[in-house]
Structures are given as structure tokens and as C-alpha cells.
Amino acid sequence: MSRDEQVGKVTLTTPSGRSSVEVLQYGATVISWKYDGAEQLFLSRQSPLDGSAAIRGGIPIIFPVFGSPSEYEDHAGLEKLPKHGFARTAEWKVIEGRVDKEVTASCVLELNSVDYKEIRDAYQWPVHLEYHIRLSDSPASLECSLKVKHLAGSSTMPARFHVLLHNYIAVGDATQAGVSGLKGVTYVDKNASKARVAESSDPILLHGQASDRVYQGGAPDVALLYNDGSGRQLVVSRSETLQDTTLWNPAEAAAKGLKDLHEGGWREYICIEPGSVAALNELPAGQEWVGTQQLRIVEGKSKV
Ligand code: TA6
């Protein structure tokens, strides 16, 4: 592991050199994951990386609210939070970095909500967040694990929160890529305001259509099919605690409204986002919650 304390960046590289990851302490945001030199994550060329605004790309951590609090009838205790909460725009601290055995590299970052007045003012529950990032060559994978501890203190009421890992997965062409693994899972279509439909097709092919769907429950393994002739896939798996899956791509029209997304950037990614967002988690004082995802590269069988 190497650290650039100047810009608050941690770089992890496996001993073989085949895999590397870059994490900013700003939001504990993974902004790059390379395997054999190929970038697996999307990062907008117009995204600020200086801490002035949320990052458009990589793996933003969404906590303690997904979307805007006003979207939810019951948003007690969350009303002062910004869209997607505070975790993705807070300055996290690095706890440790280690290279264990011969195939992995890892680091841990933490965030104490009580350390920041603006967080204390917006979120009444004192929580300690610990984010473990583990990089491996075999299998070629990136594991992200978030632990939330309710520190009790003044407020002994259960801490209320959503969690979501907002993966921007790089694709050659989002209008050709497919998403497999969600067949039969009911979803809320946020573009059709609350429509509930069970997914009938597999794979899902967006074909350049906007998608903003929250698939509820099941904690399925979801595969991104690049459909670029290589047969390669990226499989997103997760713990039962991250049981929901958001599938998002704004498509061309809505992308024009995203000032931090470079021209045509919407075609270069699909967001597959494991989360616990269909209902608020209620964590009793003194207890911990852990959610883990794994992104794994599966090489194509047919080398076309
Ligand atoms: O990924 C789902 C979503 O909630 C979409 O509705 C869209 O707003 C996206 O997150 C990006 O949100 P952001 O605040 O980063 O522009």
C-alpha cells in the first residue's frame, strides 16, 4: 500500500502487480480498480476530485439515506441530510494497510460521525463507520465491506439508515451491455414513480433506455455482460444484509442534466448497486451492522 497524504489517496497493488486500486479519503471513494492494466470502474472526466462535490464515478458510499429524505413517508431523524447522505462527501481516515499472503492487498478507512459538526447537526445518532477494501488477483476481485456501529451516547434510540454501494461499472457501450440475475425480482421503477413490476426478462438489455430501478430483496448475484465478443462478465455478489439492487443509467436525455458527467459518459457505465434501501435499518445502541460486496471478473469462455 502506498499513501499520497497530499491528496488523501491510498493506492493498493497486489504483489504480482496485476491488480491495483485507488481510494480517496474523500468519501472513502474507490475511484479506480485496474486488473491487468484494464480499468474496471467508470470515472467521469468532469467529476471534481478535490472534495468540492460528490464524485461522479467509482464506488460512492451511500449512507445513511438513499436518495433524498423527502422521498420517504417515514424519514424521521433523516430530514436534515443531503441527498445520498454524508458518507460520500466526508473526509475518512486510513486505519491500516497491509499486504497479506501473495494475492491480496487491503486497507481500512474509518469515519466517526461525531468528529464533524455538520454531520452531528444533520444526523442525531453517533455512528462509527469502518470500510474494509480487499483486492485480490485470484479470483480477480475487489471486496468492499462496511461496518456500522451505533455508539449510543446521548441518543439510545436505534440508529436509522440505508446503505448502498454505488458501483459505476465501466462498459464499452451501455446500449449493448446486459444485466443478468434479476429475473423474477420485483422492482420499483423510479422513473415511473412507484410502479412495481417483477423482472421478466434475463438478461436485461437497456438499449439506451433510462433505467432507475430498485430491485427488492433476494441478494442475487448479478452479472454485467459486456457483450463485446469477449464473453467476459463482472459478477456483483453481496451479503444478505445488502439484499436490494439498484440498476441505474440515466441514458442520453437525463445525462445532459448531469454537469459533472462528460459528453457521452452515460454510454460508458452501468450502475449495479447492492444496498439495504427498500426499508430503513434500525440498529440498536451499541450494536453493529455489516454489509459486504464482491466485484469479480469472470473471463469469457469463448475467446472470440
Ligand atoms: O443510482 C440511483 C440514483 O438514486 C439515481 O436516482 C441517480 O440520482 C443516481 O443515484 C445518482 O445520484 P447523484 O446524487 O450522485 O447524482
Side-chain angles (χ1 to χ4, degrees):
M1 176 186 97
S2 65
R3 286 191 63 182
D4 178 341
E5 305 208 25
Q6 209 59 36
V7 298
K9 180 164 77 173
V10 174
T11 301
L12 294 178
T13 306
T14 49
S16 71
R18 294 190 71 182
S19 302
S20 66
V21 135
E22 292 182 9
V23 194
L24 293 184
Q25 287 180 237
Y26 180 69
T29 313
V30 174
I31 55 169
S32 170
W33 168 32
K34 285 184 179 156
Y35 180 67
D36 281 350
E39 178 60 67
Q40 306 301 317
L41 300 175
F42 169 82
L43 184 64
S44 170
R45 292 194 294 274
Q46 281 172 202
S47 176
L49 296 176
D50 60 359
S52 61
I55 293 172
R56 178 68 60 200
I59 307 177
I61 299 171
I62 309 301
F63 177 92
V65 66
F66 176 54
S68 303
S70 56
E71 291 175 36
Y72 306 93
E73 259 168 61
D74 174 13
H75 55 262
L78 306 175
E79 48 279 304
K80 294 183 198 158
L81 290 166
K83 180 182 174 191
H84 287 343
F86 56 76
R88 66 172 178 166
T89 52
E91 194 65 19
W92 292 58
K93 294 187 179 77
V94 179
I95 296 182
E96 68 192 48
R98 69 176 187 278
V99 174
D100 42 25
K101 301 200 184 70
E102 68 287 344
V103 290
T104 68
S106 64
C107 70
V108 182
L109 296 97
E110 68 174 337
L111 174 65
N112 246 318
S113 68
V114 296
D115 289 351
Y116 298 97
K117 182 179 184 316
E118 67 274 20
I119 297 179
R120 290 198 305 270
D121 291 348
Y123 190 67
Q124 64 184 283
W125 298 286
V127 290
H128 178 258
L129 305 183
E130 213 171 87
Y131 192 49
H132 292 236
I133 297 164
R134 186 174 180 274
L135 181 63
S136 178
D137 290 339
S138 169
S141 60
L142 172 62
E143 187 176 279
C144 307
S145 191
L146 181 69
K147 179 161 64 174
V148 180
K149 178 158 188 177
H150 180 349
L151 299 175
S154 55
S155 168
T156 54
M157 292 302 289
R160 313 182 81 211
F161 58 87
H162 294 136
V163 172
L164 177 132
L165 296 174
H166 201 296
N167 304 308
Y168 283 78
I169 301 169
V171 294
D173 184 349
T175 67
Q176 301 304 313
V179 176
S180 178
L182 290 165
K183 186 164 186 169
V185 182
T186 298
Y187 67 88
V188 172
D189 183 342
K190 288 170 71 173
N191 286 336
S193 68
K194 305 271 186 277
R196 285 174 167 277
V197 181
E199 188 54 62
S200 54
S201 62
D202 193 307
I204 302 163
L205 298 167
L206 298 185
H207 289 315
Q209 298 297 312
S211 167
D212 194 357
R213 302 175 180 177
V214 182
Y215 291 84
Q216 304 193 326
D221 285 1
V222 177
L224 178 83
L225 316 175
Y226 295 94
N227 291 343
D228 57 4
S230 68
R232 196 161 56 89
Q233 302 180 7
L234 189 103
V235 175
V236 181
S237 54
R238 83 309 283 281
S239 56
E240 293 292 328
T241 51
L242 290 173
Q243 71 284 348
D244 307 320
T245 312
T246 294
L247 177 60
W248 177 63
N249 181 287
E252 187 164 21
K256 289 187 170 36
L258 299 174
K259 297 289 167 272
D260 55 3
L261 183 60
H262 62 260
E263 177 70 28
W266 66 273
R267 296 182 79 109
E268 302 168 30
Y269 72 86
I270 290 185
C271 283
I272 299 176
E273 313 161 16
S276 179
V277 297
L280 279 166
N281 293 279
E282 304 251 340
L283 185 64
Q287 294 199 11
E288 290 181 352
W289 176 97
V290 181
T292 301
Q293 71 167 4
Q294 185 196 60
L295 308 181
R296 179 167 51 86
I297 298 166
V298 177
E299 293 302 346
K301 296 178 182 54
S302 59
K303 290 276 179 216
V304 178

